[in-house]
Amino acid sequence: MRFSLIVPTLGRTDEVRALLLSLTRQAVRSFEIIIVDQNEDSRLDPVIAEFAGHLTILHLRSAVRLCNHARNLGARHATGDIITFPDDDCEYTPDVLMQVDQFFRNDPGIGFLTGSVILPGGIPGRSGRWLKHDSDIDTQTVWTCLIEFNLFIRRTIFDAVGGFDETLGPGTRFGSGEGQDLALRMLSHGKSGHYIHRLRIIHPDKPVALNVSRAFPYGLGMGRVMRKNRCDLPTVARFLLRPIGGALVNFAKFDFPIARYYVMTFFGRLAGYRAPSPAGAAP
């Protein structure tokens, strides 16, 4: 098996169906899908049955509602050479796995790949975080060219570094940064990563109100990851100053919801950086 696609899911059915439908169109066919179902009911059973004759699907259930616990659980059942973690509201364009397969075959020394995001309908995402060109991943670029649902890793490397830190990410106090944390640990083990701008996965933008509500816990996660991985002080300062600038610009435009998003991001990053290590944190 070439690929293992590990999909943690909670509360969604139509989106999971759309993801599975997009996977039936992949040019590369050597892949398995491991759905880690955190629902208390059986809402996904008919969706999975709908695709059982077209896709190789392993349906796991987890009573633990933590995204990174689900990812690690799925990874323990993976048989593919390369593992990846699509969100349950993603869709794949038909050439995604083909691009990744070719890149890994052409460069046996590469440990992991990342890519960018497009919105449904094929238009670029409105986020300004993504680099506009291909790049090696290092301690500087990891913050602007990585997101978990577009991250492809050789399974042996994922296992070697211990997988995702389950004290980070959705469902925890530190609501984001688990992908950067994983990448930084892979880099510290001497593994190399690369960002391919044209490697795009479809993912919807979240409403402004939801983004504002997530700003503080997501900031906590980033601050925690910078401290945990001993990022240099210029990097820490840069990512503390950026939301201050964003807040000032949007206050000047009287765009108060976006300004509040930046303010909460700043306070979250600062608090995360100053926070003590949570109990059970990965080394």
Side-chain angles (χ1 to χ4, degrees):
M1 189 67 69
R2 184 59 170 162
F3 290 95
S4 293
L5 283 65
I6 299 160
V7 186
T9 184
L10 175 64
R12 289 176 172 143
T13 52
D14 291 343
E15 294 88 346
V16 174
R17 180 180 288 107
L19 170 62
L20 294 178
L21 181 61
S22 74
L23 293 174
T24 65
R25 305 181 182 121
Q26 286 299 297
V28 171
R29 302 302 301 173
S30 180
F31 65 89
E32 63 183 357
I33 304 158
I34 302 173
I35 295 178
V36 185
D37 184 351
Q38 300 165 91
N39 295 295
E40 294 181 349
D41 54 29
S42 301
R43 71 184 67 193
L44 285 180
D45 289 359
V47 177
I48 293 171
E50 182 180 338
F51 291 91
H54 308 282
L55 298 168
T56 301
I57 301 175
L58 174 62
H59 184 192
L60 303 178
R61 294 187 179 275
S62 173
V64 179
R65 292 187 171 185
L66 289 176
C67 186
N68 287 316
H69 174 85
R71 287 168 173 156
N72 288 339
L73 174 62
R76 290 196 291 272
H77 290 79
T79 63
D81 302 322
I82 300 163
I83 59 175
T84 186
F85 303 89
D87 282 357
D88 58 359
D89 56 349
C90 284
E91 294 180 49
Y92 273 29
T93 53
D95 65 343
V96 167
L97 295 181
M98 182 176 66
Q99 285 190 65
V100 175
D101 182 54
Q102 290 175 348
F103 199 97
F104 274 114
R105 291 186 189 280
N106 292 337
D107 189 349
I110 203 75
F112 61 100
L113 292 178
T114 75
S116 59
V117 182
I118 55 175
L119 300 178
I123 60 176
R126 289 186 286 273
S127 171
R129 79 179 272 190
W130 304 108
L131 291 179
K132 304 302 182 186
H133 54 83
D134 293 2
S135 174
D136 289 334
I137 298 175
D138 56 30
T139 57
Q140 302 299 309
T141 59
V142 71
W143 308 102
T144 54
C145 62
L146 188 149
I147 196 162
E148 292 77 22
F149 60 75
N150 201 348
L151 174 61
F152 298 83
I153 310 168
R154 294 191 191 274
R155 182 163 55 92
T156 53
I157 294 173
F158 181 87
D159 293 341
V161 301
F164 284 101
D165 182 343
E166 296 183 17
T167 69
L168 299 169
T172 74
R173 177 190 176 200
F174 301 98
S176 73
E178 67 270 31
Q180 282 76 21
D181 173 70
L182 177 59
L184 288 167
R185 284 188 281 123
M186 289 190 287
L187 291 172
S188 72
H189 279 69
K191 310 304 179 183
S192 61
H194 195 77
Y195 167 76
I196 306 175
H197 180 64
R198 68 182 182 278
L199 177 62
R200 298 182 176 96
I201 285 178
I202 300 167
H203 191 275
D205 268 353
K206 298 295 188 290
V208 171
L210 183 57
N211 281 334
V212 171
S213 70
R214 292 179 173 182
F216 187 79
Y218 276 29
L220 276 173
M222 184 175 184
R224 168 69 189 134
V225 170
M226 288 192 293
R227 181 67 174 270
K228 174 187 171 186
N229 290 280
R230 300 179 177 87
C231 290
D232 60 87
L233 289 179
T235 298
V236 175
R238 176 159 56 97
F239 283 102
L240 287 177
L241 291 173
R242 284 179 66 176
I244 294 174
L248 293 174
V249 167
N250 285 279
F251 273 127
K253 294 178 179 178
F254 299 101
D255 193 339
F256 298 117
I258 300 300
R260 183 170 181 268
Y261 165 82
Y262 282 113
V263 169
M264 298 308 294
T265 296
F266 165 75
F267 281 113
R269 289 177 184 177
L270 181 62
Y273 189 78
R274 298 175 63 186
S277 298

